[in-house]
Amino acid sequence: MEPGSAFADLTSTLEALFATGVGANLDEGSFNELALRVFAFQFGANAVYRGFCKRRGSTPDTVTGWEDVPAVPTTAFKYVDLACVEPSAAEATYVTSGTTSGSERRGRHHVPSVALYRASALPNLRAHLVPEDRALTLLSLIPSPAEAPHSSLSAMMGFVAEEWGEPSVWLGGTGGSIDLEALGRAARDAARRESPVLLAGTAFAFVRLLDELARAGGSLALPEGSRIMETGGFKGRSRTVGREELYGALEARTGVPRGRIVNEYGMTELLSQLYEPVLREGPGASGRHVPPPWLKIRALDPATLAPVPAGTPGLLAFFDLANAGSVSHILTQDVGAVSPDGVRIRGRAEGAEPRGCSLALEDVLGAKEGPG
Amino acid sequence: MSAAAREFAAWSLPAAVALPERPALTDRYGDLAVQRLAVDPSWVRGVAAGLRASREALRRKPARELAALVGAAGARFLDPEDPMRARALALLPETAGLSAEMSAAVLDGMARDWTAERLERLLSAEFTNPAALDGFVPGAFELARALGPQLCVQIVSGSVPGVGATALVRSLLVKGPTLVKPGRGDVVLPVLLAGAVRSADPAVGDALAVVYWPGGDARLDAAALLEADVVTAYGGDEAVGLLRASTPVTARFAGYHHRFSFGVVGREALDTAHRHRTASEVAGAVAFFDQRGCVSPQVVFVEEGGEASPVEFARELAGAMEVVERHLPGGVLDAGEATRLQHVRGTAELQAAAGAGVEVHHGGTRAWTVIFDPGPELGPSCVGRLIRVRAVADVREVPAVVSPLWRHLQTAALAGCGTRRERLASALADVGVSRIAGFATAPFPAPWWHHDGQGPLRALVRWADLEGE
């Protein structure tokens, strides 16, 4: 079978699986079978990844469990093209966000099939943000896909807009600006129509929004049944500390109760996302993220990459079937504790205290990975 | 090992200081319990004020006498019979995350510079006439006198062992009472050294304190800084920046922020007679402090056109890293360092697989890693004995390559540049490098080095001029 049709075959299998939703019946054995099929495809179609796997002594002939599929560090996306198609043939190339100086390298995720991304993202969004599966008003502080064609997050908000947005109002500029006046108008309009709102933004955008609301002395009353999606709040320590404060202020300014503010954890390098299941399970689920069944998570010892016991913090690695067109096994720089009920994300892997006065090069140049 | 060695109190205070009321806290490293005081801002400020008030005894001692006193205490770390050395060697591996062998080598290298002879040379190097620290002496045009701080507060947030003790020594040499807050992995040496000075001369001991509290506690740092007229800060850019911002405008501030060091290997060091030794010296410079020192090279530029090509030298270097690993094994990386190593190594392996000409050699579960990278960029790096080898057509290209990092440049270790060495040194100094050394000596700059570009003692003193009537 030539690679093109092998991929088509694989994506149709996966799309059918994802379509059954986050309740999909996918036992360990079936996941492993699919994962090995995905690995075999990636090994065959991605020469760079194949070379890497051979170097590590792992090929489809030797690997019997998905855990042993070589994991690619997210940093590599900055330096190497990791796709099962020519980058120019990818339907989309999503780029990691950078610092304002813009001098550093960005990770690039070449995605051969946006439909597969959509197929993974939508059921998860439905389960955690739109369980009633009815039209709502999307107020997005995240730039639209037209404005930010290389943002995987914008693409995802585009999926939301197509599926549920009646209307969808794009309020975030690529420079991080927020059109406060348009936001107020759209919120009043939604209230008049009694249309629940999904207000979506990054933690950074919400902090900015709250600052501007405070300065203007106003609030943003959202209709009954509204919800908020916040993302990117787990990158870096200071933000984690400020989370309770941020959510409290959001509740106070928008009237959306704490239990309807949902954190999304995602990254450009992964086409599936994790959510705090607060809408499904109540506010007690805050602080815990759950993956869809087609995304497996492990916490690893950063020195040996051996799994740590359940509930113990470790370096997070993901195996994402939705990444079939690029690389599925991804090693992050984030720390979390994995349990059967999900993952508690702690933030970026760091020592207890910085240990040296020598400096890693990327730090000198101000590089930073950001939310997708 | 004795039971006593399995506990360590991370402070050394004048006898008159009352410990905080709250019980001490414990940080555990395996079976080693490191106690630290549960300090609060008012206690810290009280200690600082007390030190400042105790400066008289220190002021009265001639500078050379102080150098002898501190030097005698420092030399105890080198005496195989002295229990203080044994205690340091027992505590360093866990607290600093270094192997026992590396701990001993670091202690030997550091303590050599805390001896009377070296400290007296430091005084002479810094002051044309060290008697200026004792009274007015003739200057160029009138009489001048150098006065040490009333209180030198020193916040160390890195944890290369020896940094805190060196800071302590510097302040004492200029008769400045000092409060040292060491980094988490650097608590042992300043506490032991302060204790040794205190027991040799209790009056001098009343002017020095070493207390650990967790780095980045802005309230505690600020409380200490309020009493200082001179502040030194060691650590990352962000930490040093925060300390600078909290330092009273009336106090002098010497910040030792993040630094980037590198190596240059010229053709002359690549011939058959020298190559092996070159590789071994480069490997040693990389491995020392497990590469956490500001002096540790992160990248080595290797000149093309020699008997060995840069890629061949990288292979030779990999062999040398493995040899170093045998006699100076690597220690334990913390979670952030280990993560970064996985990322940098994995990325390089993928680059190698992508056919970009990258070659990766590494020690598997041992952290040493050599990456030959023909690309034009410096590429990501990390600590833990990971060295990138870059080819240059001519060593004279190096200043331009490193110049974008001008804010952070520090040590350039040179080998095999022959008659080009001095001109290269000038060009490197022009772009921001403050020290040009050999690979073998790179880990241990002499006490009188211009630390990040300034004299370590002159950075601490103020001058008073006595004019004629």
Side-chain angles (χ1 to χ4, degrees):
Chain A
M1 203 183 291
E2 54 136 321
S5 70
F7 185 57
D9 201 35
L10 194 54
T11 51
S12 71
T13 304
L14 293 173
E15 283 173 21
L17 168 70
F18 300 167
T20 60
V22 299
N25 183 19
L26 189 65
D27 60 29
E28 280 297 324
S30 313
F31 179 89
N32 195 48
E33 208 171 291
L34 270 173
L36 294 181
R37 204 175 134 194
V38 165
F39 173 49
F41 167 73
Q42 291 172 349
F43 186 89
N46 183 339
V48 173
Y49 185 53
R50 179 167 62 245
F52 175 72
C53 293
K54 281 183 170 168
R55 200 188 148 90
R56 298 209 165 178
S58 302
T59 69
D61 292 335
T62 64
V63 171
T64 56
W66 63 268
E67 297 92 337
D68 299 325
V69 171
V72 164
T74 48
T75 305
F77 284 78
K78 292 181 185 175
Y79 293 90
V80 191
D81 289 321
L82 288 160
C84 297
V85 296
E86 282 298 311
S88 57
E91 290 184 4
T93 293
Y94 300 126
V95 179
T96 55
S97 54
T99 55
T100 44
S101 72
S103 58
E104 79 282 7
R105 276 182 170 260
R106 310 276 185 96
R108 298 173 310 280
H109 189 181
H110 304 291
V111 175
S113 166
V114 173
L116 186 61
Y117 178 21
R118 191 174 195 276
S120 167
L122 273 180
N124 216 6
L125 283 158
R126 181 177 292 117
H128 295 292
L129 283 162
V130 201
E132 72 273 37
D133 201 11
R134 278 205 306 269
L136 46 63
T137 299
L138 170 65
L139 302 184
S140 176
L141 306 182
I142 296 156
S144 71
E147 276 177 291
H150 295 297
S151 159
S152 58
L153 183 58
S154 289
M156 191 172 89
M157 296 322 293
F159 305 151
V160 173
E162 286 162 20
E163 191 74 7
W164 299 292
E166 289 181 21
S168 299
V169 188
W170 303 96
L171 301 150
T174 45
S177 62
I178 296 166
D179 187 341
L180 205 57
E181 210 172 296
L183 176 60
R185 257 196 325 270
R188 284 192 298 277
D189 180 55
R192 199 165 45 245
R193 291 182 291 108
E194 293 180 8
S195 162
V197 164
L198 166 58
L199 176 63
T202 60
F204 179 75
F206 283 123
V207 169
R208 198 154 172 166
L209 171 66
L210 289 166
D211 283 350
E212 291 190 17
L213 284 173
R215 194 161 32 244
S219 66
L220 182 76
L222 298 180
E224 182 78 24
S226 294
R227 74 231 54 194
I228 291 174
M229 181 188 105
E230 181 261 326
T231 184
F234 283 95
K235 307 275 179 176
R237 272 183 187 170
S238 52
R239 182 55 62 219
T240 316
V241 173
R243 200 174 108 110
E244 285 310 309
E245 207 183 319
L246 174 64
Y247 285 15
L250 275 176
E251 176 168 357
R253 291 277 176 188
T254 65
V256 175
R258 180 71 181 72
R260 296 184 66 80
I261 304 177
V262 179
N263 182 269
E264 183 252 11
Y265 172 89
M267 59 184 75
T268 304
E269 299 85 350
L270 283 181
L271 296 181
S272 300
Q273 298 75 38
L274 295 91
Y275 295 89
E276 287 179 334
V278 288
L279 287 192
R280 293 160 72 86
E281 300 177 23
S286 177
R288 170 167 62 85
H289 288 77
V290 295
W294 51 87
L295 174 68
K296 293 280 188 200
I297 316 169
R298 289 184 305 151
L300 309 176
D301 179 324
T304 61
L305 298 188
V308 299
T312 311
L315 186 60
L316 294 176
F318 295 90
F319 198 107
D320 188 0
L321 296 180
N323 271 25
S326 51
V327 187
S328 283
H329 205 180
I330 301 289
L331 184 68
T332 72
Q333 297 193 61
D334 288 343
V335 169
V338 179
S339 309
D341 66 350
V343 54
R344 286 163 181 81
I345 294 157
R346 302 276 182 96
R348 186 59 75 91
E350 279 168 11
E353 275 180 32
R355 288 178 56 180
C357 50
S358 75
L359 185 52
L361 263 177
E362 276 184 272
D363 300 331
V364 189
L365 300 171
K368 215 182 202 174
E369 279 169 53
Chain B
M1 198 169 293
S2 70
R6 301 289 83 203
E7 274 191 7
F8 182 71
W11 65 83
S12 174
L13 294 163
V17 172
L19 297 186
E21 281 172 22
R22 286 194 296 151
L25 306 164
T26 303
D27 293 323
R28 290 196 184 279
Y29 301 81
D31 70 336
L32 170 66
V34 175
Q35 315 283 343
R36 63 180 157 92
L37 294 175
V39 301
D40 60 46
S42 71
W43 184 88
V44 169
R45 189 168 182 181
V47 171
L51 292 169
R52 199 150 56 79
S54 307
R55 63 186 183 277
E56 267 321 303
L58 207 51
R59 285 272 192 270
R60 277 197 302 271
K61 271 200 194 308
R64 287 193 186 282
E65 206 173 298
L66 269 172
L69 171 75
V70 175
R76 294 182 54 191
F77 283 122
L78 297 174
D79 178 357
E81 305 296 317
D82 196 303
M84 187 165 101
R85 175 178 171 86
R87 185 140 169 84
L89 290 177
L91 293 165
L92 276 175
E94 284 127 312
T95 53
L98 299 175
S99 67
E101 296 87 340
M102 180 58 79
S103 296
V106 167
L107 183 63
D108 289 343
M110 287 285 181
R112 189 181 57 214
D113 288 339
W114 302 330
T115 54
E117 184 244 330
R118 300 281 277 184
L119 297 181
E120 276 173 29
R121 281 175 71 181
L122 169 58
L123 280 175
S124 305
E126 287 282 89
F127 302 101
T128 321
N129 179 0
L133 288 162
D134 303 325
F136 285 99
V137 297
F141 299 105
E142 52 262 313
L143 297 176
R145 180 180 172 187
L147 293 111
Q150 295 198 13
L151 175 65
C152 185
V153 169
Q154 317 205 65
I155 310 284
V156 183
S157 68
S159 54
V160 172
V163 175
T166 297
L168 180 90
V169 166
R170 288 175 177 176
S171 187
L172 288 183
L173 282 189
V174 296
K175 308 186 182 185
T178 187
L179 170 61
V180 176
K181 199 295 287 181
R184 182 178 159 95
D186 183 28
V187 291
V188 171
L189 298 180
V191 165
L192 294 180
L193 183 60
V197 171
R198 200 184 308 288
S199 64
D201 189 325
V204 171
D206 283 345
L208 60 98
V210 180
V211 197
Y212 171 76
W213 60 77
D217 190 324
R219 289 179 326 134
L220 295 175
D221 294 344
L225 298 179
L226 277 178
E227 294 292 329
D229 62 340
V230 176
V231 173
T232 73
Y234 298 74
D237 288 1
E238 196 185 346
V240 172
L242 289 171
L243 289 167
R244 181 153 70 183
S246 333
T247 297
V249 65
T250 49
R252 193 132 26 89
F253 183 86
Y256 300 100
H257 56 72
H258 262 151
R259 289 291 166 181
F260 178 77
S261 293
F262 59 94
V264 182
V265 174
R267 282 177 209 123
E268 289 93 323
L270 294 168
D271 59 28
T272 320
H274 298 103
R275 189 163 71 229
H276 185 73
R277 180 167 157 210
T278 307
S280 153
E281 288 183 355
V282 173
V286 172
F288 241 95
F289 314 111
D290 288 350
Q291 213 182 5
R292 292 189 191 100
C294 49
V295 294
S296 306
Q298 305 284 325
V299 175
V300 58
F301 298 93
V302 180
E303 194 171 35
E304 288 167 342
E307 276 184 40
S309 69
V311 70
E312 286 165 336
F313 180 75
R315 291 172 200 150
E316 179 114 25
L317 180 56
M321 294 299 301
E322 181 61 36
V323 171
V324 172
E325 193 72 34
R326 270 178 245 146
H327 63 94
L328 287 176
V332 179
L333 300 185
D334 72 26
E337 292 168 340
T339 297
R340 195 163 173 88
L341 178 63
Q342 297 288 359
H343 276 251
V344 176
R345 250 192 206 176
T347 298
E349 286 177 310
L350 280 152
Q351 287 178 302
V358 170
E359 270 194 31
V360 189
H361 310 272
H362 63 73
T365 53
R366 297 180 303 283
W368 74 260
T369 307
V370 176
I371 299 170
F372 172 77
D373 185 352
E377 290 176 53
L378 290 175
S381 67
C382 61
V383 303
R385 307 188 175 193
L386 181 140
I387 184 78
R388 301 186 82 89
V389 175
R390 281 279 317 274
V392 285
D394 191 295
V395 292
R396 285 171 297 190
E397 291 171 14
V398 173
V401 176
V402 298
S403 64
L405 305 172
W406 59 277
R407 290 178 179 84
H408 293 95
L409 295 176
Q410 195 212 56
T411 297
L414 267 46
C417 298
T419 54
R420 299 170 297 171
R421 191 171 193 269
E422 202 169 316
R423 284 185 69 173
L424 178 60
S426 287
L428 289 169
D430 272 345
V431 297
V433 169
S434 60
R435 174 172 174 246
I436 293 113
F439 283 96
T441 52
F444 293 107
W448 45 87
W449 73 314
H450 290 112
H451 187 175
D452 292 356
Q454 56 184 331
L457 301 185
R458 277 172 286 168
L460 304 180
V461 301
R462 67 187 166 87
W463 290 87
D465 297 324
L466 174 59
E467 301 169 11
E469 282 184 34

